[in-house]
Amino acid sequence: MLKKKSALEKATELLAHMEQSSATLRRKLLARHYDAAEVDAAIDKLKQHHYLDDAEACSNQFAAFYAEGKLGTRQIVAKLIQRGFDKDFIEGLIPDDADDHDLKAASRALEKKFAPDTFDRAKAWQFLSARGFDGNIISAIVEEFSRTAKTD
């Protein structure tokens, strides 16, 4: 019979697959029926040895989502909160050019999703809203896209 891995061994294995927050790691270990004290000790040990760093992991994931340019800044913040990172810390990562980033990302998203001859304003609004874009940005991009769709 196989011996169950310790919480530290399992936590290390989980981190080897994907960088994650200590809250997510804790939740996963508890879901696997590890004792809470053992889980906390494992997480503390990983933090001491710098294998688990919420600030670094959050910064890395924010930068990756932002560089990818598929999501609005609000959606990136929501995703990272879901992953167990601190909201105030995440909001501190938002760069000053976030509005420009969101305008470009929303425009690219619409261009990929809609052909000018199949453009539907309501569907475009819904599509961009689901990706976390602000209403002002959606208005500007949908208006611009509908003007170009009519002139083409």
Side-chain angles (χ1 to χ4, degrees), residues 41-65:
I43 288 173
D44 287 343
K45 190 166 191 167
L46 290 168
K47 284 181 179 179
Q48 287 171 356
H49 292 288
H50 307 288
Y51 293 120
L52 184 62
D53 183 340
D54 282 355
E56 184 179 338
C58 184
S59 296
N60 291 343
Q61 290 179 34
F62 184 94
F65 281 130

Side-chain angles (χ1 to χ4, degrees), residues 106 109-110 113-114 122-133:
L110 272 189
K113 179 72 174 174
F114 296 97
K123 287 182 180 180
W125 256 93
Q126 184 180 16
F127 174 75
L128 292 174
S129 181
R131 278 150 188 78
F133 294 103

